[in-house]
Amino acid sequence: MLLRLRRRARQETVERLYGAIVAQARHPDFYAALAVPDTVAGRFDLIVLHVFLLFRRLAGEGADAQALGQHVFDRFVEDMDDSLREMGTGDLAVPKRLRVMGEAFYGRAAAYDAALAESGNDGLAAALLRNVYGGNTKASARELAHYVRRSVAELAAQEAAEIARGHTRFPAPLEG
C-alpha cells in the first residue's frame, strides 16, 4: 500500500512538471511574437527546449532529482507516442519515429548546453535558429535566446525541493 501511494505521488509530481512544460511551450507569445512556427515541429521543439531546461536545473541535485528527470523524460516519450498515434502513425512506424525524436532531443540538448556554457547569446541564438526556426527569422532566435537565459535564471532561483514536489515556473516569453 505504501509503495502504491509513493508511486502515485511520484506520478502526480511528474504530471505537474510535464504539464507546466507543455503549458509553457503552448504559450501564444512564442508563436505570435517570437515567430516560432505554429506547426507540429515547432511545438515539439518548444517542448524539447523546456524539458531540457528542467533537466538542466535538476542536474547536480542528486540521485532523486536525476530519477525525477528520468520520469519526466519517460512522460515526454509517452506523450510523443500518443501524439504520433493520434496523427495516424502506424504501430510499426511509431518506435522508429520515437527513436528519431529521442535523437533529436539529445542532439538539441547537447547544442543548447554547449551554447549556454558560452558567454553571450550568439551561440545560443544560432542553435535555436537551426533547431527551432529551421534557419529562418534570426531576430526571433535572439529574442528566444534571451528567454532561455531568463528561464535558466528563473529555474536556478527555485528551490530543488519545490521542484521535487512538482512546482516549477517559467518566465513569460516576453519581458514585460
Side-chain angles (χ1 to χ4, degrees), residues 8-88:
R8 187 175 330 161
R10 182 190 70 222
Q11 188 60 34
E12 289 172 4
T13 297
V14 168
E15 288 300 325
R16 277 195 301 271
L17 290 173
Y18 190 69
I21 287 167
V22 171
Q24 185 69 8
R26 290 181 176 165
H27 196 292
D29 285 346
F30 287 116
Y31 306 98
L34 297 179
V36 171
D38 192 6
T39 62
V40 171
R43 290 185 296 274
F44 169 79
D45 276 312
L46 282 183
I47 291 172
V48 165
L49 177 63
H50 287 88
V51 170
F52 160 75
L53 289 167
L54 180 68
F55 282 12
R56 190 172 195 283
R57 171 58 183 91
L58 293 174
E61 291 291 341
D64 289 342
Q66 297 295 322
L68 177 59
Q70 181 61 53
H71 291 301
V72 171
F73 184 78
D74 294 344
R75 179 63 183 98
F76 163 71
V77 171
E78 180 184 309
D79 185 33
M80 295 303 105
D81 183 294
D82 292 345
S83 295
L84 287 169
R85 291 175 192 282
E86 285 174 14
M87 291 185 303

Side-chain angles (χ1 to χ4, degrees), residues 22-176:
V22 171
Q24 185 69 8
R26 290 181 176 165
H27 196 292
D29 285 346
F30 287 116
Y31 306 98
L34 297 179
V36 171
D38 192 6
T39 62
V40 171
R43 290 185 296 274
F44 169 79
D45 276 312
L46 282 183
I47 291 172
V48 165
L49 177 63
H50 287 88
V51 170
F52 160 75
L53 289 167
L54 180 68
F55 282 12
R56 190 172 195 283
R57 171 58 183 91
L58 293 174
E61 291 291 341
D64 289 342
Q66 297 295 322
L68 177 59
Q70 181 61 53
H71 291 301
V72 171
F73 184 78
D74 294 344
R75 179 63 183 98
F76 163 71
V77 171
E78 180 184 309
D79 185 33
M80 295 303 105
D81 183 294
D82 292 345
S83 295
L84 287 169
R85 291 175 192 282
E86 285 174 14
M87 291 185 303
T89 304
D91 289 342
L92 295 176
V94 168
K96 180 180 178 184
R97 298 279 307 272
L98 287 174
R99 187 179 70 248
V100 169
M101 289 175 155
E103 291 168 357
F105 174 84
Y106 286 111
R108 284 161 172 75
Y112 299 151
D113 206 36
L116 283 167
E118 299 172 5
S119 62
N121 281 343
D122 290 344
L124 183 56
L128 293 165
L129 180 65
R130 185 174 54 255
N131 292 310
V132 175
Y133 294 101
N136 298 327
T137 323
K138 190 170 186 172
S140 295
R142 289 196 171 285
E143 290 297 319
L144 187 56
H146 185 64
Y147 164 79
V148 169
R149 294 270 184 199
R150 287 187 295 113
S151 295
V152 168
E154 175 80 18
L155 289 165
Q158 295 171 36
E159 293 292 326
E162 264 314 284
I163 296 171
R165 287 191 289 276
H167 304 288
T168 194
R169 62 194 175 282
F170 295 93
L174 302 174
E175 282 188 291

